[in-house]
Amino acid sequence: MTDQAALTAKIDEYKAALAQDPKSTVFVALADTYRQLGQVDDALEVALRGTWELPQFAEGFAAVGRVYYQRKVTGKAEAAFFKALSVDQMCVPAYKGLAA
């Protein structure tokens, strides 16, 4: 199985998990997998929907920040990382995003 095929299989798993539980934190992994495949529009949609469902999940906002950073929308990326830190001051992914 190629790397792309493995990532596509992961996407199917994550989507099935989200279909069963729309408030699952698996949306972060799904968004990151979409990003790895270069599907940044899908990644952003998933990450934004996830933060809407779970507004107190800091790592979700960090995922939004990573997508915006990949799209080179640094202002929105920075805002998302700071939003993550406002939810959880110990959100390591947000600090990593700001350091990038």
Side-chain angles (χ1 to χ4, degrees):
M1 183 179 285
T2 66
D3 287 341
Q4 186 163 355
L7 291 174
T8 301
K10 285 286 187 192
I11 286 174
D12 292 338
E13 287 178 38
Y14 298 146
K15 286 170 73 174
L18 273 177
Q20 283 190 331
D21 180 9
K23 292 187 183 282
S24 171
T25 60
V26 77
F27 77 89
V28 172
L30 178 57
D32 284 338
T33 305
Y34 275 135
R35 273 188 334 99
Q36 290 175 0
L37 288 172
Q39 298 175 4
V40 290
D41 291 338
D42 291 331
L44 184 60
E45 179 183 335
V46 166
L48 289 173
R49 187 175 339 117
T51 56
W52 186 81
E53 291 284 349
L54 295 169
Q56 296 303 314
F57 185 55
E59 290 197 25
F61 290 102
V64 171
R66 287 191 295 274
V67 175
Y68 278 130
Y69 184 79
Q70 185 168 342
R71 293 177 97 185
K72 299 187 184 338
V73 184
T74 54
K76 286 189 176 187
E78 186 176 276
F81 293 134
F82 279 119
K83 175 65 177 172
L85 292 173
S86 75
V87 172
D88 178 5
Q89 292 178 336
M90 300 304 291
C91 182
V92 174
Y95 284 113
K96 286 182 178 180
L98 287 170

